Amino acid sequence: MTGSFQGFRLNQIRTKLAGLFLLFGIVPALVLFGVYMWSESDFRQAAGDPMKYSAVSINDTIDRNLFERYGDVQAFGLNAAAQDPVNWRDRTAGNPLISAMNGYMTGYGIYRLMVLVDTSGDVLAVNDVDPGGKALDTQALYGQSFAGAAWFEKAMTGQFLKGSNGLTGTVAEQPAADAVVARLYGDDGYTMVFAAPVKDRAGRTIGVWANFADFALVEGIAGQFYQSLAARGYPSTEITVLDPEGRIIVDYDPKGQ
């Protein structure tokens, strides 16, 4: 009888222990599951934040760089040499207007072509060195008219890219392959054009200054951010930049590099 009772008690203890072990195994699991469910959005956000912040940073960096190009063309047109008719169509060495253009070319290193045209679109002056300071044969451009160029028409009619803060005065074209730049450099001529009216001291428009910026500027920014992301543990990141119409203008794919 005693043995039977002890066996019964032992079974009870085993049952209770098994129940306790089960309880102490399930409860932490349920707690952890509850914590995960409660924090799932935080986990997802933490995983997505590096990409989100990187995208914002890329946009901001591109925007700041292009904002400077927006202002450059207006500043260049204020040069007194550009407003002096004596310097127009003068191809001789020492022309202060061409010297100024060449200085901008080498000093900034991001432009491939600078051209000043009159109110009819005919060329008044153009740089004759590349960004590296090497001679660039641009003489043929003096016989060319840019009257049909979109940037010229927009600059003459005041169709500027306007900022929400009131910024205005410059035409900023979407990146495209430019035939003139392509002929000069023997490549695709992929550039962005920034153009602005040039005015005399009386405020009359006497011409349009246009800068053709190398789009490698934007491509380089994408490349720099990719290197930064790769160093932080995201080597398979693909960076894509779209224009306002949703067309791909930069696709930095590490597999394709």
Side-chain angles (χ1 to χ4, degrees):
M1 184 71 177
T2 301
S4 299
F5 178 74
Q6 288 178 342
F8 175 74
R9 292 290 296 169
L10 184 59
N11 287 334
Q12 280 188 323
I13 292 173
R14 287 175 177 170
T15 302
K16 288 181 179 181
L17 286 174
L20 289 173
F21 288 144
L22 184 61
L23 177 64
F24 283 107
I26 290 177
V27 170
L30 290 175
V31 170
L32 289 174
F33 179 72
V35 169
Y36 169 77
M37 293 300 293
W38 180 69
S39 306
E40 182 181 11
S41 60
D42 293 334
F43 291 149
R44 291 181 181 274
Q45 182 177 358
D49 278 351
M51 297 298 101
K52 179 180 72 175
Y53 293 144
S54 293
V56 171
S57 296
I58 293 172
N59 274 334
D60 182 62
T61 302
I62 292 174
D63 186 62
R64 283 188 286 107
N65 274 272
L66 296 185
F67 170 76
E68 293 175 1
R69 310 292 75 79
Y70 189 102
D72 284 349
V73 68
Q74 293 187 39
F76 296 171
L78 294 174
N79 192 309
Q83 301 173 15
D84 189 347
V86 173
N87 299 322
W88 298 348
R89 300 186 178 89
D90 178 6
R91 313 182 197 184
T92 61
N95 179 348
L97 176 52
I98 296 177
S99 295
M101 286 180 159
N102 290 342
Y104 295 144
M105 287 290 294
T106 58
Y108 285 79
I110 55 175
Y111 295 112
R112 310 199 75 194
L113 179 66
M114 293 182 186
V115 60
L116 175 65
V117 301
D118 63 16
T119 54
S120 297
D122 297 327
V123 175
L124 298 176
V126 61
N127 61 289
D128 57 16
V129 301
D130 67 12
K134 296 181 180 179
L136 187 66
D137 186 6
T138 56
Q139 293 299 308
L141 293 184
Y142 284 96
Q144 182 169 336
S145 173
F146 287 92
W151 55 264
F152 173 76
E153 295 176 355
K154 291 177 181 178
M156 290 298 298
T157 56
Q159 299 179 56
F160 307 125
L161 176 65
K162 299 179 180 180
S164 57
N165 60 351
L167 184 72
T168 188
T170 294
V171 175
E173 293 287 87
Q174 293 298 317
D178 184 85
V180 173
V181 177
R183 284 196 301 270
L184 288 172
Y185 288 90
D187 55 26
D188 61 9
Y190 204 60
T191 51
M192 289 185 68
V193 182
F194 294 84
V198 177
K199 300 180 182 295
D200 62 15
R201 294 182 179 180
R204 296 184 296 263
T205 298
I206 57 177
V208 175
W209 187 303
N211 289 336
F212 293 70
D214 192 343
F215 195 67
L217 167 70
V218 176
E219 295 170 336
I221 291 172
Q224 291 170 6
F225 270 91
Y226 167 75
Q227 296 298 334
S228 175
L229 286 166
R232 288 156 50 194
Y234 302 97
S236 60
T237 301
E238 182 176 348
I239 298 175
T240 302
V241 180
L242 309 176
D243 71 6
E245 303 301 322
R247 294 183 291 260
I248 295 175
I249 54 178
V250 176
D251 186 22
Y252 201 94
D253 183 355
K255 294 181 180 178
Q257 299 308 314

